[in-house]
Amino acid sequence: MRFKRVLVTGSSRGIGRAIAQRLAQTGWSVAVHYTSTEKEAAQTEKILGSACSGVYRADLSVPSNARKLFDAALADGPIQAIVNNAGVYMPLDFLQSGDAAFSANFHKTFSINFESPLALIRASARHFNENGGGKILNVASRVGFRGEGGAALYASSKAALINLTRSLAVELAPKNIQLFGIAPGWVDTAMSREGMSERFEQIKETIPLGRMATPQDCAATAAFLLSEDAAYLSGVVIDINGASYFH
């Protein structure tokens, strides 16, 4: 019997789809979100079958849409958890980029990677506070800890998300609201293979475990954090990087 419902942003493919699938396998009913990949979202819905409790489109580059997304999903049933997975990575040459390009990169990166998750957290936390508690999982990144050349704005947005997770974990714990994060390093997805095909093998050689993470590696950790086995954890951000970075 399914008794828990979770909203997973960016769950039409990649890490988000893997998280949605793993949560469905462990008893969650999953609300699927996508921005433009309607075909892939339909595939996720098919994979989840009866565990899918709705498919919702929202452009999270506009932060006000995050609250609308939550309200739309909530209208179809109670929500006990959210996963802020949707994100964007836009490489940037800090010195050479023009002012207009820099400003556009900044606003889109922070809107999707930080402002929209913040809006979803505010909306969900208020709902959880009125209904006995809930869980919030934020998908950050290794670069939020170590930084990354050519990705200063992306790394900064993920660092902000990490510290938001920790700060709100303290503030919301008395309300029985738990916050967690995962910080993947390199993850083997179709998107990453397309974007770094020439460097793929070279990158793997930098990882002590000898391979990149899979979306399923990320999903397994996410499922643990949203399970009752993590009932006494909050504020933790778990690295998923094959021993490639410690902090």
Side-chain angles (χ1 to χ4, degrees):
M1 177 179 179
R2 301 189 184 281
F3 61 97
K4 299 173 290 186
R5 188 161 180 256
V6 57
L7 169 63
V8 183
T9 68
S11 47
S12 64
R13 58 184 179 178
I15 295 172
R17 175 186 283 179
I19 291 175
Q21 188 172 8
R22 183 62 176 258
L23 291 176
Q25 292 168 349
T26 57
W28 288 88
S29 174
V30 183
V32 173
H33 159 262
Y34 73 99
T35 297
S36 59
T37 53
E38 183 176 4
K39 181 178 179 181
E40 288 87 347
Q43 291 172 343
T44 300
E45 181 181 16
K46 183 177 180 180
I47 290 169
L48 298 182
S50 62
C52 180
S53 63
V55 179
Y56 308 88
R57 181 187 179 280
D59 179 2
L60 297 184
S61 67
V62 181
S64 60
N65 287 340
R67 177 57 188 265
K68 295 176 183 177
L69 167 63
F70 184 80
D71 288 345
L74 186 61
D76 291 332
I79 295 174
Q80 287 78 35
I82 64 167
V83 178
N84 279 310
N85 167 74
V88 63
Y89 172 76
M90 302 168 62
L92 178 78
D93 187 315
F94 191 80
L95 293 178
Q96 297 301 319
S97 61
D99 290 344
F102 182 88
S103 179
N105 189 307
F106 172 81
H107 287 292
K108 186 170 184 177
T109 297
F110 270 82
S111 291
I112 296 174
N113 293 355
F114 183 74
E115 291 185 76
S116 283
L118 175 59
L120 270 171
I121 291 170
R122 279 176 60 80
S124 62
R126 287 168 174 165
H127 173 66
F128 298 157
N129 185 43
E130 296 173 355
N131 292 275
K135 295 173 181 282
I136 298 167
L137 174 65
N138 297 318
V139 178
S141 170
R142 180 182 69 172
V143 302
F145 292 113
R146 60 163 276 174
E148 191 78 35
L153 296 180
Y154 175 77
S156 297
S157 71
K158 292 300 187 179
L161 189 61
I162 289 167
N163 280 282
L164 179 69
T165 301
R166 290 169 166 171
S167 297
L168 290 180
V170 176
E171 184 171 343
L172 299 180
K175 308 297 184 181
N176 194 33
I177 299 172
Q178 297 167 270
L179 287 95
F180 317 99
I182 59 173
W186 290 106
V187 181
D188 187 353
T189 63
M191 184 181 299
S192 65
R193 282 182 176 270
E194 291 172 4
M196 58 186 182
S197 57
E198 296 180 359
R199 301 173 54 209
F200 198 82
E201 293 303 320
Q202 180 183 358
I203 290 170
K204 285 202 301 184
E205 292 176 359
T206 69
I207 302 172
L209 277 181
R211 66 173 179 87
M212 294 183 184
T214 66
Q216 290 71 32
D217 290 323
C218 300
T221 305
F224 162 70
L225 290 171
L226 293 183
S227 75
E228 292 306 312
D229 290 334
Y232 196 64
L233 298 182
S234 195
V236 297
V237 180
I238 297 180
D239 296 307
I240 307 172
N241 63 38
S244 63
Y245 183 72
F246 299 104
H247 54 88

